[in-house]
Amino acid sequence: MQTTYKTASYGSRQSRSMSAEPIRFDTKIAVLLREDLEPWQRLNVTAFLVSGLGATVPEVIGEPYEDADGVSYLPMFRQPVLVFEGSKETLKAAHGRALDRALPRAVFTSDLFATGNDRDNRAAVRAVPAAELDLVGLAVYGPRNGVDKVLKDARMHP
């Protein structure tokens, strides 16, 4: 699995504060998607899942951005988000391992495709026991080796 994020040189546009050395993170942000999702569903699920991590785990968020004209932009994750895919069984097993390791996690179930707001989303998840959730996506954050173990049998998204 990929464990390093390398910064690239951008010539004269490169910030003087950026190092040419690779930045290595001891943590990992990963999203696991069920392999049978439609392309629009993959994008939607990924966006929803990572929003949960950004809101709950403040150390994953970097500093705000600013362009050369001084226009400011919202901060984003300080490290890459790795996206994986797997079968329904792989997702269920990963969910169990994430629970066992008590890693910060977000879930997206198939029921959420039929809802249209946060209140109904939360009610749909609340209505189903953890072992019976029809998971289509899972986001996890934690130590690299722990996240790697949670994602056992998953493959990088193409």
Side-chain angles (χ1 to χ4, degrees):
M1 290 186 212
Q2 183 178 348
T3 58
T4 302
Y5 175 68
K6 296 183 179 179
T7 57
S9 175
Y10 296 103
S12 62
R13 292 184 300 151
Q14 183 176 5
S15 167
R16 288 191 172 94
S17 65
M18 288 182 63
S19 169
E21 293 296 316
I23 297 174
R24 301 189 190 282
F25 296 96
D26 58 351
T27 58
K28 185 179 275 189
I29 300 171
V31 172
L32 175 57
L33 301 171
R34 204 164 75 192
E35 62 194 357
D36 61 349
L37 295 180
E38 294 293 326
W40 72 267
Q41 292 173 317
R42 291 172 184 257
L43 296 170
N44 183 267
V45 170
T46 301
F48 270 92
L49 288 171
V50 297
S51 70
L53 290 175
T56 308
V57 187
E59 65 267 23
V60 301
I61 303 297
E63 296 295 321
Y65 286 72
E66 184 175 295
D67 65 26
D69 294 326
V71 177
S72 61
Y73 302 93
L74 295 173
M76 296 186 281
F77 290 126
R78 66 180 183 95
Q79 66 190 88
V81 176
L82 302 174
V83 182
F84 297 83
E85 69 175 6
S87 67
K88 185 174 188 171
E89 295 76 21
T90 300
L91 204 55
K92 184 177 180 94
H95 179 249
R97 289 190 290 266
L99 292 173
D100 289 345
R101 293 180 175 278
L103 292 176
R105 65 210 164 265
V107 295
F108 198 105
T109 67
S110 63
D111 296 331
L112 303 188
F113 290 125
T115 61
N117 61 73
D118 185 54
R119 182 194 66 228
D120 293 341
N121 287 351
R122 285 182 282 109
V125 173
R126 189 179 306 113
V128 181
E132 296 175 27
L133 291 171
D134 185 16
L135 297 170
V136 298
L138 172 71
V140 292
Y141 171 75
R144 240 183 7 218
N145 64 344
V147 172
D148 288 345
K149 289 176 182 174
V150 166
L151 297 175
K152 180 183 175 196
D153 298 326
R155 59 192 175 278
M156 288 295 292
H157 189 281

